[in-house]
């Protein structure tokens, strides 16, 4: 089959790779109908993950049709149209039984490869290197989906592919951010980053009853989307004193909840150069910690750098902040999000700004990485 593979830093290619096969009785094979680029792919593209190998198939977010099922699969039949959650989780471990699929003990299968400084590995993930389980991703004609009863979800007939696709990753990540932030009716919520996850975090906050949602970015087209589709107010940080504006729009206190959804900052710090470690300048995190009201919650999403320097720990203690984070979404919210999509409460298809054949994958990623031509997500069809 054909698949979009990582070859070397900043080099992708569509290659012929072996068809996936059932390896476990709980697997299904899915024929892909749509797959999308993701912000967490960008450090991989740049070759910043030492565990990535030439030929690894990328693609975190995908949707397709079940074409083969293992003998222990109960919830899926051949022909089902399914969206597959980005997190690979077993469904049976201590975390999965509590709905914390993103913390699954069995999804990421190479714990030893995770930086010891991070403690433990999180769940597995499609289209990621060994530390996240080494599962081939969805930028391909076919994908093996492990633990299919846990991670694949039948899409209601009323929801089209271009909408349901984002129930795999961006929508549940945004929902999880609002949940981790404990967004309550009447809250003021600030979101840094107006990409797909930032926009869907803003929408989740609105659906949970936030009184005001403010999205911070510099891309005018993304900010317009956040206004139109998430009902958010927007701040262009190039022309606005963000901290002052957030105070002004939150009764002088600062937002109740601050979510950082900017993906991985490209800059590297002095400490990074000195130590050679994966240390980045978390400007948006610093701004969020500074802006958040006392006793508020700061949520950091996505592929944040492993280590940061000059973190304002004093602000966390002095302002008794709650600091939370997640790299991957849980799976438990996917059915609820699909129902909201079916009821037209949650629209996501506008995020697919560029639709391309899989053959044009390298070009799609170039557009996405550069945010060129208004690209929010490039969506591929095999
Ligand atoms: Zn588990």
């Amino acid at each position: 089959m054909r698949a979009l593979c990582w070859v070397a830093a900043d080099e992708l290619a569509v290659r012929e790779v072996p068809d996936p096969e059932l390896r476990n009785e709980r697997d299904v094979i899915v024929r892909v109908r749509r797959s999308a680029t993701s912000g967490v792919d960008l450090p991989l593209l740049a070759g910043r993950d030492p565990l990535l190998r030439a030929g690894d198939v990328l693609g975190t977010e995908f949707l397709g049709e079940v074409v083969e099922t293992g003998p222990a699969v109960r919830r899926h039949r051949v022909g089902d149209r399914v969206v597959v959650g980005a997190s690979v989780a077993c469904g049976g471990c201590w975390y999965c039984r509590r709905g914390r699929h993103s913390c699954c003990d069995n999804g990421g299968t190479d714990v030893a490869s995770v930086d010891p400084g991070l403690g433990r590995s999180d769940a597995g993930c499609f289209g990621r290197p060994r530390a996240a389980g080494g599962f081939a991703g969805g930028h391909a004609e076919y994908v093996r989906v492990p633990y299919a009863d846990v991670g694949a979800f039948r899409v209601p007939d009323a929801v089209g592919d271009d909408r349901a696709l984002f129930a795999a990753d961006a929508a549940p990540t945004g929902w999880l951010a609002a949940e981790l932030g404990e967004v309550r009716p009447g809250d003021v919520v600030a979101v840094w980053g107006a990409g797909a996850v930032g926009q869907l975090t803003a929408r989740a906050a609105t659906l949970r009853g936030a009184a005001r949602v403010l999205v911070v970015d510099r891309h005018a087209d993304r900010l317009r989307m956040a206004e139109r589709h998430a009902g958010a107010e927007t701040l262009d940080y190039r022309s606005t004193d963000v901290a002052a504006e957030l105070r002004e729009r939150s009764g002088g206190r600062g937002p109740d909840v601050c979510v950082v959804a900017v993906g991985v900052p490209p800059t590297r710090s002095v400490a990074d150069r000195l130590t050679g470690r994966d240390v980045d300048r978390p400007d948006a995190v610093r701004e969020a910690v500074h802006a958040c009201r006392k006793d508020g919650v700061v949520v950091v999403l996505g592929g944040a750098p492993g280590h940061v320097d000059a973190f304002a720990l004093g602000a966390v203690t002095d302002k008794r902040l709650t600091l939370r984070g997640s790299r991957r979404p849980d799976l438990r919210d996917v059915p609820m999000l699909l129902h909201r999509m079916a009821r037209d409460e949650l629209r996501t298809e506008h995020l697919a700004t560029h639709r391309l054949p899989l053959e044009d994958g390298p070009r799609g990623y170039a557009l996405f990485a550069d945010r060129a031509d208004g690209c929010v997500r490039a969506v591929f069809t095999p």
Side-chain angles (χ1 to χ4, degrees), residues 266-278:
T267 51
R268 294 166 81 81
S269 69
V270 173
D272 187 16
R273 288 197 295 275
L274 289 176
T275 64
R277 303 209 56 160
D278 185 19

mmCIF file with all atom_site columns, all heavy atoms in Angstrom, residues 266-278:
data_model
loop_
_atom_site.group_PDB
_atom_site.id
_atom_site.type_symbol
_atom_site.label_atom_id
_atom_site.label_alt_id
_atom_site.label_comp_id
_atom_site.label_asym_id
_atom_site.label_entity_id
_atom_site.label_seq_id
_atom_site.pdbx_PDB_ins_code
_atom_site.Cartn_x
_atom_site.Cartn_y
_atom_site.Cartn_z
_atom_site.occupancy
_atom_site.B_iso_or_equiv
_atom_site.pdbx_formal_charge
_atom_site.auth_seq_id
_atom_site.auth_comp_id
_atom_site.auth_asym_id
_atom_site.auth_atom_id
_atom_site.pdbx_PDB_model_num
ATOM 1   N N   . PRO A 1 266 ? 9.094  26.958 18.495 1.00 0.00 ? 266 PRO A N   1
ATOM 2   C CA  . PRO A 1 266 ? 10.272 26.627 17.706 1.00 0.00 ? 266 PRO A CA  1
ATOM 3   C C   . PRO A 1 266 ? 11.583 27.131 18.296 1.00 0.00 ? 266 PRO A C   1
ATOM 4   O O   . PRO A 1 266 ? 12.651 26.692 17.912 1.00 0.00 ? 266 PRO A O   1
ATOM 5   C CB  . PRO A 1 266 ? 9.997  27.330 16.372 1.00 0.00 ? 266 PRO A CB  1
ATOM 6   C CG  . PRO A 1 266 ? 9.115  28.479 16.732 1.00 0.00 ? 266 PRO A CG  1
ATOM 7   C CD  . PRO A 1 266 ? 8.313  28.045 17.922 1.00 0.00 ? 266 PRO A CD  1
ATOM 8   N N   . THR A 1 267 ? 11.510 28.040 19.234 1.00 0.00 ? 267 THR A N   1
ATOM 9   C CA  . THR A 1 267 ? 12.744 28.650 19.729 1.00 0.00 ? 267 THR A CA  1
ATOM 10  C C   . THR A 1 267 ? 13.430 27.770 20.765 1.00 0.00 ? 267 THR A C   1
ATOM 11  O O   . THR A 1 267 ? 12.811 26.966 21.426 1.00 0.00 ? 267 THR A O   1
ATOM 12  C CB  . THR A 1 267 ? 12.429 30.006 20.380 1.00 0.00 ? 267 THR A CB  1
ATOM 13  O OG1 . THR A 1 267 ? 11.376 29.798 21.325 1.00 0.00 ? 267 THR A OG1 1
ATOM 14  C CG2 . THR A 1 267 ? 12.000 31.014 19.363 1.00 0.00 ? 267 THR A CG2 1
ATOM 15  N N   . ARG A 1 268 ? 14.729 27.954 20.895 1.00 0.00 ? 268 ARG A N   1
ATOM 16  C CA  . ARG A 1 268 ? 15.498 27.185 21.878 1.00 0.00 ? 268 ARG A CA  1
ATOM 17  C C   . ARG A 1 268 ? 16.285 28.157 22.748 1.00 0.00 ? 268 ARG A C   1
ATOM 18  O O   . ARG A 1 268 ? 16.727 29.191 22.300 1.00 0.00 ? 268 ARG A O   1
ATOM 19  C CB  . ARG A 1 268 ? 16.406 26.192 21.166 1.00 0.00 ? 268 ARG A CB  1
ATOM 20  C CG  . ARG A 1 268 ? 15.610 25.118 20.437 1.00 0.00 ? 268 ARG A CG  1
ATOM 21  C CD  . ARG A 1 268 ? 16.459 24.347 19.462 1.00 0.00 ? 268 ARG A CD  1
ATOM 22  N NE  . ARG A 1 268 ? 17.247 23.317 20.108 1.00 0.00 ? 268 ARG A NE  1
ATOM 23  C CZ  . ARG A 1 268 ? 16.772 22.117 20.440 1.00 0.00 ? 268 ARG A CZ  1
ATOM 24  N NH1 . ARG A 1 268 ? 15.521 21.816 20.202 1.00 0.00 ? 268 ARG A NH1 1
ATOM 25  N NH2 . ARG A 1 268 ? 17.532 21.228 21.008 1.00 0.00 ? 268 ARG A NH2 1
ATOM 26  N N   . SER A 1 269 ? 16.446 27.769 23.996 1.00 0.00 ? 269 SER A N   1
ATOM 27  C CA  . SER A 1 269 ? 16.969 28.720 24.969 1.00 0.00 ? 269 SER A CA  1
ATOM 28  C C   . SER A 1 269 ? 18.473 28.560 25.200 1.00 0.00 ? 269 SER A C   1
ATOM 29  O O   . SER A 1 269 ? 19.105 27.655 24.688 1.00 0.00 ? 269 SER A O   1
ATOM 30  C CB  . SER A 1 269 ? 16.249 28.515 26.297 1.00 0.00 ? 269 SER A CB  1
ATOM 31  O OG  . SER A 1 269 ? 16.664 27.275 26.826 1.00 0.00 ? 269 SER A OG  1
ATOM 32  N N   . VAL A 1 270 ? 18.983 29.434 26.036 1.00 0.00 ? 270 VAL A N   1
ATOM 33  C CA  . VAL A 1 270 ? 20.395 29.360 26.414 1.00 0.00 ? 270 VAL A CA  1
ATOM 34  C C   . VAL A 1 270 ? 20.668 28.020 27.099 1.00 0.00 ? 270 VAL A C   1
ATOM 35  O O   . VAL A 1 270 ? 21.648 27.329 26.794 1.00 0.00 ? 270 VAL A O   1
ATOM 36  C CB  . VAL A 1 270 ? 20.741 30.522 27.369 1.00 0.00 ? 270 VAL A CB  1
ATOM 37  C CG1 . VAL A 1 270 ? 22.155 30.357 27.900 1.00 0.00 ? 270 VAL A CG1 1
ATOM 38  C CG2 . VAL A 1 270 ? 20.599 31.851 26.638 1.00 0.00 ? 270 VAL A CG2 1
ATOM 39  N N   . ALA A 1 271 ? 19.786 27.649 28.014 1.00 0.00 ? 271 ALA A N   1
ATOM 40  C CA  . ALA A 1 271 ? 19.979 26.390 28.741 1.00 0.00 ? 271 ALA A CA  1
ATOM 41  C C   . ALA A 1 271 ? 20.011 25.217 27.774 1.00 0.00 ? 271 ALA A C   1
ATOM 42  O O   . ALA A 1 271 ? 20.764 24.258 27.962 1.00 0.00 ? 271 ALA A O   1
ATOM 43  C CB  . ALA A 1 271 ? 18.854 26.201 29.761 1.00 0.00 ? 271 ALA A CB  1
ATOM 44  N N   . ASP A 1 272 ? 19.216 25.305 26.719 1.00 0.00 ? 272 ASP A N   1
ATOM 45  C CA  . ASP A 1 272 ? 19.187 24.257 25.702 1.00 0.00 ? 272 ASP A CA  1
ATOM 46  C C   . ASP A 1 272 ? 20.566 24.107 25.071 1.00 0.00 ? 272 ASP A C   1
ATOM 47  O O   . ASP A 1 272 ? 21.110 23.013 24.949 1.00 0.00 ? 272 ASP A O   1
ATOM 48  C CB  . ASP A 1 272 ? 18.149 24.665 24.652 1.00 0.00 ? 272 ASP A CB  1
ATOM 49  C CG  . ASP A 1 272 ? 17.922 23.570 23.631 1.00 0.00 ? 272 ASP A CG  1
ATOM 50  O OD1 . ASP A 1 272 ? 18.320 22.437 23.897 1.00 0.00 ? 272 ASP A OD1 1
ATOM 51  O OD2 . ASP A 1 272 ? 17.342 23.873 22.587 1.00 0.00 ? 272 ASP A OD2 1
ATOM 52  N N   . ARG A 1 273 ? 21.120 25.238 24.675 1.00 0.00 ? 273 ARG A N   1
ATOM 53  C CA  . ARG A 1 273 ? 22.414 25.194 23.998 1.00 0.00 ? 273 ARG A CA  1
ATOM 54  C C   . ARG A 1 273 ? 23.512 24.704 24.944 1.00 0.00 ? 273 ARG A C   1
ATOM 55  O O   . ARG A 1 273 ? 24.420 23.995 24.562 1.00 0.00 ? 273 ARG A O   1
ATOM 56  C CB  . ARG A 1 273 ? 22.760 26.576 23.441 1.00 0.00 ? 273 ARG A CB  1
ATOM 57  C CG  . ARG A 1 273 ? 21.907 26.955 22.216 1.00 0.00 ? 273 ARG A CG  1
ATOM 58  C CD  . ARG A 1 273 ? 22.530 28.108 21.455 1.00 0.00 ? 273 ARG A CD  1
ATOM 59  N NE  . ARG A 1 273 ? 22.548 29.337 22.231 1.00 0.00 ? 273 ARG A NE  1
ATOM 60  C CZ  . ARG A 1 273 ? 21.532 30.190 22.311 1.00 0.00 ? 273 ARG A CZ  1
ATOM 61  N NH1 . ARG A 1 273 ? 20.413 29.951 21.663 1.00 0.00 ? 273 ARG A NH1 1
ATOM 62  N NH2 . ARG A 1 273 ? 21.619 31.286 23.019 1.00 0.00 ? 273 ARG A NH2 1
ATOM 63  N N   . LEU A 1 274 ? 23.397 25.089 26.229 1.00 0.00 ? 274 LEU A N   1
ATOM 64  C CA  . LEU A 1 274 ? 24.426 24.693 27.188 1.00 0.00 ? 274 LEU A CA  1
ATOM 65  C C   . LEU A 1 274 ? 24.361 23.204 27.500 1.00 0.00 ? 274 LEU A C   1
ATOM 66  O O   . LEU A 1 274 ? 25.385 22.552 27.640 1.00 0.00 ? 274 LEU A O   1
ATOM 67  C CB  . LEU A 1 274 ? 24.257 25.494 28.496 1.00 0.00 ? 274 LEU A CB  1
ATOM 68  C CG  . LEU A 1 274 ? 24.627 26.975 28.410 1.00 0.00 ? 274 LEU A CG  1
ATOM 69  C CD1 . LEU A 1 274 ? 24.328 27.664 29.735 1.00 0.00 ? 274 LEU A CD1 1
ATOM 70  C CD2 . LEU A 1 274 ? 26.102 27.151 28.039 1.00 0.00 ? 274 LEU A CD2 1
ATOM 71  N N   . THR A 1 275 ? 23.183 22.690 27.617 1.00 0.00 ? 275 THR A N   1
ATOM 72  C CA  . THR A 1 275 ? 23.035 21.303 28.077 1.00 0.00 ? 275 THR A CA  1
ATOM 73  C C   . THR A 1 275 ? 22.775 20.332 26.945 1.00 0.00 ? 275 THR A C   1
ATOM 74  O O   . THR A 1 275 ? 22.897 19.121 27.131 1.00 0.00 ? 275 THR A O   1
ATOM 75  C CB  . THR A 1 275 ? 21.850 21.182 29.052 1.00 0.00 ? 275 THR A CB  1
ATOM 76  O OG1 . THR A 1 275 ? 20.656 21.509 28.329 1.00 0.00 ? 275 THR A OG1 1
ATOM 77  C CG2 . THR A 1 275 ? 22.001 22.114 30.229 1.00 0.00 ? 275 THR A CG2 1
ATOM 78  N N   . GLY A 1 276 ? 22.399 20.853 25.775 1.00 0.00 ? 276 GLY A N   1
ATOM 79  C CA  . GLY A 1 276 ? 22.070 19.966 24.672 1.00 0.00 ? 276 GLY A CA  1
ATOM 80  C C   . GLY A 1 276 ? 20.757 19.239 24.884 1.00 0.00 ? 276 GLY A C   1
ATOM 81  O O   . GLY A 1 276 ? 20.433 18.301 24.170 1.00 0.00 ? 276 GLY A O   1
ATOM 82  N N   . ARG A 1 277 ? 19.978 19.651 25.868 1.00 0.00 ? 277 ARG A N   1
ATOM 83  C CA  . ARG A 1 277 ? 18.719 18.965 26.154 1.00 0.00 ? 277 ARG A CA  1
ATOM 84  C C   . ARG A 1 277 ? 17.579 19.620 25.393 1.00 0.00 ? 277 ARG A C   1
ATOM 85  O O   . ARG A 1 277 ? 17.723 20.688 24.820 1.00 0.00 ? 277 ARG A O   1
ATOM 86  C CB  . ARG A 1 277 ? 18.415 19.020 27.644 1.00 0.00 ? 277 ARG A CB  1
ATOM 87  C CG  . ARG A 1 277 ? 19.538 18.431 28.459 1.00 0.00 ? 277 ARG A CG  1
ATOM 88  C CD  . ARG A 1 277 ? 18.997 17.870 29.729 1.00 0.00 ? 277 ARG A CD  1
ATOM 89  N NE  . ARG A 1 277 ? 17.959 16.890 29.441 1.00 0.00 ? 277 ARG A NE  1
ATOM 90  C CZ  . ARG A 1 277 ? 17.581 15.979 30.310 1.00 0.00 ? 277 ARG A CZ  1
ATOM 91  N NH1 . ARG A 1 277 ? 18.113 15.926 31.483 1.00 0.00 ? 277 ARG A NH1 1
ATOM 92  N NH2 . ARG A 1 277 ? 16.631 15.122 30.002 1.00 0.00 ? 277 ARG A NH2 1
ATOM 93  N N   . ASP A 1 278 ? 16.445 18.955 25.448 1.00 0.00 ? 278 ASP A N   1
ATOM 94  C CA  . ASP A 1 278 ? 15.264 19.442 24.748 1.00 0.00 ? 278 ASP A CA  1
ATOM 95  C C   . ASP A 1 278 ? 14.580 20.504 25.589 1.00 0.00 ? 278 ASP A C   1
ATOM 96  O O   . ASP A 1 278 ? 13.620 20.251 26.295 1.00 0.00 ? 278 ASP A O   1
ATOM 97  C CB  . ASP A 1 278 ? 14.320 18.267 24.478 1.00 0.00 ? 278 ASP A CB  1
ATOM 98  C CG  . ASP A 1 278 ? 13.129 18.700 23.652 1.00 0.00 ? 278 ASP A CG  1
ATOM 99  O OD1 . ASP A 1 278 ? 13.202 19.754 23.006 1.00 0.00 ? 278 ASP A OD1 1
ATOM 100 O OD2 . ASP A 1 278 ? 12.119 17.993 23.671 1.00 0.00 ? 278 ASP A OD2 1
#
